[in-house]
Every structure is written in structure tokens, then in C-alpha cells.
Amino acid sequence: MRPKNGPTRPYQFEILRYDPAAGAPPRFRAYALQPAGRMSVLEALLRIQAEHDPSLAFRYSCRGAVCGSCAMSINGKLNLACRVLLENLPETRVVLEPLPRFEILRDLVVDMEPFWKRYERVRPWLHAQIGQGKESRMSPAERERFDQYVNCILCGLCVAACPVSSLREGFAGPAALAKLYRFLADPRENRGSGALEQENGEHGVWGCRAIGRCIEVCPKDVRPTDGIAGAKRKLLVERLKGLAGRKPHEV
Amino acid sequence: MIRHDVVVVGGGLAGLRAAIGLSEQWDVAVISKVHPVRSHSGAAQGGINAALGNAPEGRDDSPQRHAFETVKGSDYLADQSAVARMCELAPETVYELEHFGAPFSRFADGTIAQRPFGGAGFPRACYAADRTGHVLLQTLYEQAVKRQIKVYDEWSLVRIAVEDDRCHGLIVYDLKRGRFEAVAARLCVLATGGYGRIYRNSTNALINTGSGVGAALLAGVPLKDLEFVQFHPTTQFGTNILITEGARGEGGYLMNKSGRRFMADYAPNSMELAPRDIVARAIQTEIGQGRGFEGGYVHLDLRHLGRKTIVQRLPGIRQICLDFGGIDPVEQPIPVQPGQHYSMGGIDTDATGRTRVGNLYAAGECACVSVHGANRLGGNSLLETIVFGRLVADAINARRGEAGPEPSESVLQGNLKKVTEHVGRLLARAGGVPHHQIAERLKGVLTEKVGIFRNEADLAEAVAAIGTLQEQYRAVRPRTPLRPFNTEILHVLELEGLLYLGEITSRGALARRESRGSHFRTDYPQRDDAHWLKHTIARLDGDEVQLSYAPVDTALYAPQERTY
């Protein structure tokens, strides 16, 4: 198999442009592009930037769907721009917009700070004694239990897709909660009972309505709602254990 | 002016490990052109080498075997004491990563899983499926968050402020604000990665433009061994996205268009697991002699491994094949071609990461210690980032009580003024060739003339062509003003360094009349230890590149013929 020569039709890009410092409202600008061979949306953006408009702003790094930089809306669908090939789009009109539910800083560049704040809120590191000596043993089955969460590339697509994320100010969101569960499900983790207390509320795990948009858009096949459901179960079990340990009149 | 005790440039594995090691004793900050988790370290797939002996067939492995095979793989250009130190530290380095939380794959007995890799006699590459770089980068970033290490992300290094052979800090471009800043630091660490994007057919992230190596050269810091460029044997045909050596480590076959496992003709003992330089040349030879598929590729066939192995151990490359190639390696062979992958050369450092300029250190791919010599073994680059990130931190920590002079604000202000005035002049220019055209031509020259097989005529043409591009660069003109998130000025400034890196790579290759590791001269096909067992050192004298040579540390293993 070899790369197809790709469609020879020209593509019409409509890209949302916005510069808050300029004072003008966001507006779409059109660019025509004739792809040479197989081309991703990111490659198209790079060519538009090089040949038509060097002021066009967007983020990128790896171009291979592993770094999570280029999440955006492509014809209304959320994806990584590097991962969408023009030839797989249903039509030659391509509408590009920044990630919804994020503030726009410039053009297709959004403010990721609130995303990172939520990530940091779940204290996303292994809570364990950093020991000397060899590795702590873990069976392949134990490793498998949190595998999907390890694959998260923190691109923000799930947060952009999550209906709750826009409705509820301060909701941790699928990425941060999946990251939290990545540690809760790790047999080495030792943050103690009550570790989940901070996310025990509508701003945390109980905010999730298991709608599943996060699963649909994840480019790495992570299922954040599985992790959130797991965290909810852990909270319920802890509560039941707490109840079981008390005398009837305390319950 | 922003001030820190120590500033680390680069948020990949080397930079984060250095910052973690420094954070207890110093006020340390990381400057990174992208958010740290977007760094190219995260694209590493196959594994990190350490002689843990976890595999049943690896019980006899040892740091000494690891060191010998690394030296042999380097075609004896690596500095042997530094290699021995790295391999000796490898097991504790991997255990530390595991204690930090790195989710390595596991063997049935619960130990860290290890797979065979090229040029290694034992399964030595510790892995997390085929996402080893990703999990290590996430883990080290998590540790940096835990330690509340200050990160300036989307800040790019533009100039290193050096005066009287001493580094005073950095001039950086803050992309979010669209302006230049001076950063004062008593000590600086460069961990800016490779410069693979001087080639068109590179596996590297698009951000790997060598800004640190270029800035070091412009600041008078010597570079080493730039002519040694690793071409990875298996990159996805068309996109050049990496297809891990782990695919062959798990048992994948390389096949030509007649369905022959052609490695039998090149490395009958090691077959697909010969070192990368040898496999890349074999594939290029098959393609060149008409035994490749139309368009110029061969097949990497994994089908016999079965769905389960592919899904469990190689899920990342399966996803890449599905996303970017439209094929499923469970059912179809993967079309692959060699592509630029790694820069063995870089900023000349000693075995503790010190450059030749005071208070300036370098670690990871941007540095050249050299532990990879003329050809790096797979699984040793992740190891180098972590080991030398740590060793640089150790070296700097050992200087804690030292009463050094403070960085000079006037030197930094002077450098900042020079940069802003230079940029002002660029922006005021009329006419000129657009920078992206010069960059594209540079990539074309390197890809076509300074590739896997090299010769005098091609290399001389490359040097001349780059000279012409450097002339054109003198008239380059950015078309956009400095505004938040306008990247053009960065592309223009980086291109100056990229052109020099291309020139030095070509000049070094032209001068080196022998074949060693990744550097293969069809007109000088033999290794020539009598004349060329030496490092190439490049520095700038005004705007002229000067080459000189330095001895190789061969304290442990006498050079032998290299067969696999």
C-alpha cells in the first residue's frame, strides 16, 4: 500500500480568526488550498500559515497524535488536527474553530490554564514512599486495570465535549478525574482513605452524568466515565465501610 | 528582570529530570517552547535500556555488557568512561522512574518487562507497551507538579548571554505576550532536544528545530560530531512517523517485494535486530536496487505475531497505522522507509554535562557527551535523557556553596537590546525571500545530499547550496509584527541556527573521509581508525564555521571490527 495521491480538488478552509487585542469580534476568513498528496488538517494549516498568512495562530508539536497540542473543532467535530486527513472529510469545505468551552487567546489557540488548574487539583502524582531498591512488583493484570488512563495525552478534547463542563463552574472535568482514577487504580498508590474527599461533590465525580461525549472524542480510546464510575464506587464503598464501623445511633 | 538561581531550557525528559534534581537546593525554573507534556520525548516508543536481567533469557546481562554493546554500536566513537557510567546508573535510573510512578509493562512475576532491541545481546529495553516516552514524560511532569517547579511554557530560547566565557542568562521570546525577555540565572542548563527538522523526512516533532544547539553555537559554544545523523530504519512510508524498533523486538520481519527477509544478506546473526545504521542501509540498498515496492519502501510484517501481541504490546503503532496509513498491521504489513530520527551530535559536553562555557550545561539529545558515538542503540536515548539530566543536577548541586559572581544585568540588558534592535531591522526590511522557502530548500539539500549514503560530490554541493541559502537569509523578512502567538519571528530567528547546523553537518561529513556508524561514504566505505578515530568539533569564528578534532576516550575496549 502507498499513500494515495489524494484528491486533486481544491479545499476551501474557513478559519475562525480572533485577536482580542485588536478589539474586533471573531470572524471567519476563507483560504483556498490545493493539497499535494495526502494531507492532514494540521499540514494544511501549516501551509496556509507559510504561504498565505503568517499571522494565523494555532498550536502543534508532534504531528503524530501523541502530544495533544492541536485539539480543535473541525467541521463541528472535535479532534486533533494532525489526525484528520483531508481525504477522509465528507466535503472540501473545512470549517476550523478553536476548542469550545475554552477561552480563545488568538485564532485557534485557547487558554489551557483552567484545564491545568483542574489537573493539578487532583494532585496527579503517585502518592507512595519513593523508595530505594528495585521495582515494586505488579502483576500484568493489575497493570492492565489502569492502562487506558495512562494513555491520556491531556489534549483537552474530552473537556471541550463535556456538557457538564460548560454548565458547572469548577467541575473537575473528565481528563482530571480520569487522571485521578489512574492513580486510585494503581496498586502502588497510597494516598489513604479520604483521598477522594476533595472530589466528593457536584464539582467532582458526582458532577458527571455519564453522558459519554468524552469517550466519543478521545483520540486515545480512553473512557473517562469508566474511571469516574470507579471513583464513585470507591466513595460508596468507603461510606458503607464507615457506616458499618459505627454504632446504629451514629448512623 | 526575571531571575532564578538555575534555569533549565526544555521541558522534555532531560530538562524535567534536571529540574527535579535541582529543585531541593535551588530556585529553579523551566523554560519550554511548548507545555512540557507536548515535548518530543513523549513520542519515544520502544523502551529504555537497563541491565535489570528481568527476562529469563537476560539473566546474564550486566551493565558491562550494556556498555560494551553501546560502544560497539557507536562504532567506537563513543567516550567509553561516560558510556560505562551511564550503563552502570541505568538500573537505578529505571527503578527511580518506577518509584516515581512510571507504569512500566510487567512480566508475569511482576517485574518490569524487557524486550530485545537492536544491537543488544539480551532483552534490555524496559517498556510500557510502545508508549514508553509518553509514560515517562507524564511521570516526570507529575513529579515536577508535585514539587511545584516553576514552568514558563510557550517561552522560546533566542540567545544565550555569554560574556568572558561565562553564561549570565538567556534572552527568550514569550509567545503569549509576543515579546522578548531577559532571564538572569547563575547557571543554565540546555535540554532543548534535537534538530531533526533540518531534514524533510524526519520522525521528529515539528518543534525540533534545534533552537538550543543553534543558540549555543551563536554564543560561541563548541558543537561536536554533527555529521552523525541517525536514520531510523522503520518510519511510516509517506509521513515518516516513527514505527518503533520494538516491532522488530517483538519479532516483526522486514520483507522486500519478493517476500524475502533480506536482513539475512546484511546481518545474518542479528537479522532485523542489527543496529539501526546497518538496518537503515540495508533497507535503502533494497529500495535502491529495485527490490523495494513502487514509491520506495519495504514491508514491516507483524501479522505472524498475532492480534493479541500487537494489541497488547504495540497498540500505539497500530493506532498510527490506522490513523495515518489506513491499514491495520494485524492484517496487513506496514510500508516503511528509513527517515532521519536522531542527532548523535550536539553541544560538546564533558561527562557531567558541562559545556565549554562557564555556568552553562547541556543534557539529552541537544548535548553530545558522547555516549552514542557514530550510531546510537535503540533504547539508549531515553536512558541518556534521565541519566544525564540527573548528572547535570548532581554537578550543579555540588556547586551549592560556591561563591560565584552574580549574573550581570548589564550583559543581559545589552543582549536584549541587541536582539530587539536586530528584530526591528528585520521587520523594517523590504523584499527578500520568505523564510519558509529557505527552510524548505535547506531540508531538501540535507535530505537529498547528506542522507544515508554520502559521497564527495553530493556533500560539496550541499555545502555550496547551503552557502547560497545563507546569502538569501541575509535578506529574509518577517511579514508579521510582534503580537501574541505570532510565531513567525521565532521561525525566522531559528532559521539562522538551522542553516549553520545544516552547514556543519555537511562540512563535517565532507571532511570525514571514512565510513563509521551512521556516516557512510560510498567513496570511503571503510572505517579508518588511524586517521578518523576522533570527534569533530565545530565552532563559529565571526560567521565562519571552524572545524577541529578531539580525541576519543577508548579506555575500556580496543576498537574491533564491527559485525552482527
Side-chain angles (χ1 to χ4, degrees):
Chain A
M1 200 223 61
R2 51 179 304 200
K4 294 173 205 169
N5 286 324
T8 50
R9 311 168 286 181
Y11 278 75
Q12 289 298 324
F13 283 83
E14 289 171 34
I15 303 176
L16 193 78
R17 303 296 308 271
Y18 179 52
D19 183 352
R27 66 194 170 91
F28 283 98
R29 272 199 61 181
Y31 303 88
L33 185 79
Q34 182 79 46
R38 177 174 277 182
M39 194 178 223
S40 67
V41 169
L42 176 63
E43 287 169 312
L45 278 168
L46 288 163
R47 235 182 79 187
I48 291 168
Q49 189 191 53
E51 292 172 13
H52 298 287
D53 193 344
S55 74
L56 176 63
F58 52 95
R59 288 193 175 105
Y60 59 86
S61 173
C62 77
R63 68 79 170 82
V66 295
C67 80
S69 299
C70 62
M72 62 181 68
S73 164
I74 301 160
N75 289 341
K77 292 192 172 137
L78 304 183
N79 212 328
L80 302 172
C82 67
R83 190 168 167 255
V84 176
L85 301 179
L86 295 183
E87 66 193 34
N88 293 338
L89 292 174
E91 49 177 332
T92 54
R93 179 170 170 264
V94 186
V95 180
L96 302 181
E97 296 165 274
L99 271 188
R101 301 181 219 284
F102 286 80
E103 289 284 325
I104 309 175
L105 295 176
R106 256 294 299 278
D107 302 342
L108 301 172
V109 176
V110 296
D111 185 6
M112 293 292 286
E113 270 316 301
F115 177 87
W116 296 118
K117 287 258 153 51
R118 283 162 175 73
Y119 165 85
E120 285 169 21
R121 195 174 93 191
V122 303
R123 299 190 301 147
W125 56 84
L126 187 74
H127 288 57
Q129 199 70 37
I130 294 173
Q132 304 294 311
K134 293 192 173 189
E135 71 268 56
S136 26
R137 300 278 178 117
M138 186 193 303
S139 73
E142 286 174 309
R143 171 63 180 78
E144 181 62 27
R145 245 169 256 152
F146 61 100
D147 186 61
Q148 58 152 320
Y149 312 108
V150 160
N151 298 333
C152 170
I153 57 173
L154 300 168
C155 63
L157 283 168
C158 56
V159 172
C162 172
V164 182
S165 287
S166 62
L167 292 175
R168 198 179 300 283
E169 187 83 15
F171 175 52
L177 293 172
K179 178 62 84 174
L180 173 62
Y181 191 72
R182 171 253 173 276
F183 291 105
L184 295 178
D186 187 321
R188 299 167 296 181
E189 175 67 27
N190 187 27
R191 52 181 89 194
S193 64
L196 255 170
E197 228 17 77
Q198 192 180 270
E199 302 303 332
N200 185 8
E202 288 285 316
H203 62 283
V205 295
W206 302 106
C208 171
R209 298 287 183 270
I211 298 159
R213 295 272 155 75
C214 52
I215 298 172
E216 288 165 27
V217 298
C218 180
K220 297 281 116 179
D221 297 332
V222 182
R223 300 171 52 85
T225 49
D226 289 3
I228 298 172
K232 286 175 178 171
R233 266 196 310 278
K234 270 188 188 287
L235 275 168
L236 288 173
V237 168
E238 274 182 27
R239 175 129 177 84
L240 287 171
K241 275 188 192 157
L243 290 177
R246 294 181 201 177
K247 297 190 176 100
H249 68 269
E250 290 176 331
V251 173
Chain B
M1 189 178 295
I2 295 161
R3 282 177 163 276
H4 293 280
D5 291 340
V6 189
V7 171
V8 177
V9 190
L13 288 175
L16 289 176
R17 182 59 188 82
I20 288 166
L22 292 160
S23 62
E24 278 179 25
Q25 299 198 34
W26 305 85
D27 158 35
V28 59
V30 174
I31 284 174
S32 179
K33 72 196 293 187
V34 290
H35 187 282
V37 303
R38 317 293 185 215
S39 303
H40 185 55
S41 301
Q45 296 173 352
I48 175 169
N49 289 337
L52 305 184
N54 285 349
E57 60 275 39
R59 298 281 183 246
D60 294 332
D61 199 5
S62 67
Q64 291 73 33
R65 290 301 303 255
H66 182 184
F68 172 71
E69 287 168 0
T70 298
V71 168
K72 182 181 171 189
S74 82
D75 221 346
Y76 294 90
L77 193 69
D79 289 295
Q80 298 184 2
S81 308
V83 171
R85 183 88 180 115
M86 176 176 80
C87 298
E88 183 195 338
L89 291 174
E92 64 182 75
T93 295
V94 168
Y95 293 139
E96 179 191 70
L97 290 166
E98 199 275 337
H99 295 153
F100 279 164
F104 286 106
S105 295
R106 300 292 168 149
F107 281 140
D109 67 354
T111 57
I112 292 170
Q114 298 189 273
R115 61 164 53 116
F117 244 49
F122 300 99
R124 188 181 292 140
C126 308
Y127 63 90
D130 57 354
R131 298 177 172 125
T132 314
H134 164 75
V135 307
L136 298 186
L137 184 61
Q138 294 284 328
T139 301
L140 287 196
Y141 183 65
E142 289 156 11
Q143 291 295 316
V145 169
K146 178 184 173 186
R147 289 164 174 75
Q148 299 182 303
I149 291 170
K150 173 76 183 163
V151 177
Y152 297 90
D153 67 331
E154 297 184 321
W155 285 43
S156 288
L157 174 64
V158 173
R159 291 283 183 272
I160 303 167
V162 174
E163 188 143 308
D164 299 330
D165 271 337
R166 185 162 72 84
C167 173
H168 295 262
L170 312 162
I171 307 302
V172 297
Y173 184 67
D174 174 358
L175 190 61
K176 284 189 189 109
R177 293 189 185 79
R179 68 177 190 213
F180 295 94
E181 297 273 0
V183 180
R186 290 183 60 189
L187 298 143
C188 291
V189 179
L190 299 175
T192 53
Y195 47 91
R197 285 287 158 186
I198 57 174
Y199 285 82
R200 197 164 48 208
N201 60 340
S202 176
T203 62
N204 283 197
L206 300 172
I207 59 169
N208 286 23
T209 50
S211 49
V213 184
L217 179 78
L218 292 172
V221 184
L223 310 182
K224 184 159 75 191
D225 290 343
L226 260 55
E227 66 267 36
F228 295 100
V229 178
Q230 179 159 81
F231 291 84
H232 197 287
T234 61
T235 77
Q236 185 179 45
F237 177 57
T239 67
N240 295 115
I241 296 174
L242 176 65
I243 304 292
T244 177
E245 187 164 310
R248 285 170 284 136
E250 294 294 342
Y253 297 149
L254 287 170
M255 307 274 220
N256 64 18
K257 74 172 177 191
S258 338
R260 175 172 165 72
R261 277 181 73 190
F262 55 84
M263 282 311 299
D265 305 327
Y266 302 88
N269 297 317
S270 301
M271 294 295 286
E272 281 84 357
L273 287 179
R276 290 176 177 173
D277 56 334
I278 291 167
V279 182
R281 277 196 291 276
I283 295 175
Q284 203 58 43
T285 302
E286 291 295 303
I287 293 169
Q289 296 182 354
R291 293 187 294 276
F293 293 86
E294 194 194 329
Y297 64 89
V298 297
H299 275 160
L300 173 59
D301 199 339
L302 309 183
R303 290 174 295 179
H304 58 286
L305 303 179
R307 174 178 290 271
K308 196 174 158 220
T309 298
I310 294 172
V311 168
Q312 280 183 357
R313 303 217 188 132
L314 302 165
I317 59 147
R318 180 167 180 244
Q319 210 161 28
I320 287 164
C321 290
L322 290 167
D323 283 351
F324 298 96
I327 62 139
D328 184 347
V330 172
E331 275 142 26
Q332 283 169 282
I334 309 170
V336 293
Q337 62 186 161
Q340 191 284 343
H341 180 58
Y342 186 83
S343 318
M344 264 79 72
I347 300 162
D348 182 24
T349 74
D350 69 11
T352 64
R354 272 194 316 186
T355 71
R356 306 295 154 186
V357 161
N359 298 349
L360 182 66
Y361 293 74
E365 190 174 346
C366 76
C368 180
V369 175
S370 160
V371 288
H372 308 305
N375 173 63
R376 176 175 70 76
L377 291 189
N380 272 352
S381 65
L382 289 181
L383 179 63
E384 184 198 12
T385 62
I386 314 272
V387 166
F388 285 92
R390 169 191 158 180
L391 289 177
V392 160
D394 289 351
I396 292 176
N397 286 339
R399 297 178 62 178
R400 188 69 181 108
E402 196 178 285
E406 289 294 309
S408 156
E409 288 219 2
S410 67
V411 167
L412 284 158
Q413 292 296 2
N415 272 269
L416 180 61
K417 189 158 174 265
K418 256 204 255 175
V419 168
T420 48
E421 285 174 358
H422 173 58
V423 168
R425 281 193 299 272
L426 291 179
L427 288 166
R429 275 178 186 166
V433 183
H435 64 90
H436 68 93
Q437 284 183 15
I438 301 175
E440 282 309 310
R441 286 175 198 155
L442 174 69
K443 291 175 188 184
V445 169
L446 269 295
T447 305
E448 278 141 37
K449 309 282 182 195
V450 198
I452 294 175
F453 291 110
R454 303 168 172 183
N455 64 65
E456 179 106 16
D458 280 354
L459 294 169
E461 276 178 47
V463 171
I466 294 169
T468 306
L469 295 176
Q470 284 165 327
E471 279 302 314
Q472 292 173 358
Y473 181 79
R474 286 180 219 281
V476 76
R477 180 175 63 99
R479 294 159 291 172
T480 51
L482 301 186
R483 294 192 59 75
F485 291 101
N486 271 8
T487 48
E488 191 186 25
I489 192 65
L490 275 180
H491 296 157
V492 169
L493 293 175
E494 280 177 352
L495 184 54
E496 184 182 13
L498 276 176
L499 286 161
Y500 276 124
L501 300 181
E503 181 191 345
I504 295 169
T505 303
S506 309
R507 278 191 192 279
L510 178 61
R512 188 175 280 274
R513 292 180 165 177
E514 67 155 354
S515 291
R516 183 184 297 274
S518 65
H519 171 70
F520 194 93
R521 288 280 301 254
T522 53
D523 41 359
Y524 301 93
Q526 302 301 319
R527 193 175 83 196
D528 178 2
D529 287 339
H531 298 99
W532 289 104
L533 181 55
K534 56 189 180 185
H535 294 295
T536 305
I537 304 293
R539 49 164 64 83
L540 270 192
D541 181 7
D543 55 4
E544 291 288 310
V545 168
Q546 303 288 348
L547 297 186
S548 59
Y549 294 91
V552 178
D553 169 6
T554 54
L556 302 173
Y557 310 103
Q560 305 166 15
E561 198 194 340
R562 187 167 165 251
T563 55
Y564 288 94

